[in-house]
Amino acid sequence: MIPLLKHIFRTGILTETVALAEGGPQREIDRLHDEILRILGRALTIREVDAGSCNGCELEIHALNNPYYNLEGRGIKFVASPRHADMLLVTGPVTKNMENALRIAYDCTPDPKLVVAVGDCGCDGGVFGENYASCGAIANVVGVDLRIPGCPPTPLALMQGILAAVSKRSP
């Protein structure tokens, strides 16, 4: 243990200092949060539906709730039921087994609802396309208001897509 502590004291701190740039990503994140709340005037509730993805998009969606992006801290919440949601955030190519479940979630979401297709697979079927096990793109099953391409899209791209969808809906 003593040699390890000596090594730590000899080496010192190796991490980089945080660069507080004037127009850094945190400023863009704050702007997006404020814009969404200004347009809606209240919290936005989102139901995430995995229609058959590889979970790459889900990892990026989960990153939206970490302390860096802090989506929930600004009033944008993920809910467990589509009955409480304003927006469906759908990932993956729609598998035949999830086709009916996606339609049920869509029907249960109150109007006016927004549907956002996330990732290349959700936008156009990705590498899977339409085949015996997949319906392909989300638009082949339910109406889509906005597509967020990327494999997977970054959390910042997801936030920009959510803002674009909310802006499109506002009068």
Side-chain angles (χ1 to χ4, degrees):
M1 183 69 156
I2 300 290
L4 178 61
L5 290 173
K6 283 182 182 177
H7 180 69
I8 291 170
F9 287 123
R10 251 187 321 212
T11 306
I13 298 173
L14 296 177
T15 58
E16 298 176 13
T17 58
V18 177
L20 299 174
E22 189 75 17
Q26 192 60 44
R27 177 163 290 200
E28 177 70 7
I29 291 165
D30 290 340
R31 185 191 70 75
L32 290 170
H33 282 267
D34 295 340
E35 188 71 15
I36 288 170
L37 290 176
R38 183 190 65 74
I39 290 169
L40 282 178
R42 61 176 175 78
L44 173 68
T45 54
I46 301 171
R47 170 67 174 136
E48 193 272 328
V49 178
D50 178 353
S53 77
C54 68
N55 287 338
C57 294
E58 280 76 16
L59 291 172
E60 299 300 317
I61 291 170
H62 287 235
L64 291 174
N65 282 326
N66 72 25
Y68 188 77
Y69 295 100
N70 193 22
L71 207 62
E72 194 151 329
R74 294 293 185 105
I76 301 166
K77 301 182 184 331
F78 286 89
V79 294
S81 171
R83 287 183 171 86
H84 303 139
D86 299 314
M87 174 186 290
L88 289 178
L89 206 58
V90 189
T91 62
V94 182
T95 63
K96 298 285 185 182
N97 292 337
M98 283 297 295
E99 181 181 7
N100 191 39
L102 178 58
R103 281 199 176 106
I104 290 170
Y106 180 82
D107 291 340
C108 289
T109 306
D111 289 325
K113 61 185 137 216
L114 292 166
V115 178
V116 177
V118 177
D120 289 342
C121 294
C123 293
D124 60 13
V127 297
F128 305 101
E130 290 183 51
N131 59 49
Y132 72 95
S134 172
C135 299
I138 294 159
N140 295 345
V141 179
V142 295
V144 172
D145 297 303
L146 187 87
R147 292 167 177 80
I148 304 173
C151 187
T154 63
L156 196 56
L158 289 167
M159 290 179 65
Q160 290 168 335
I162 291 169
L163 173 63
V166 169
S167 298
K168 189 176 174 182
R169 181 176 89 172
S170 67

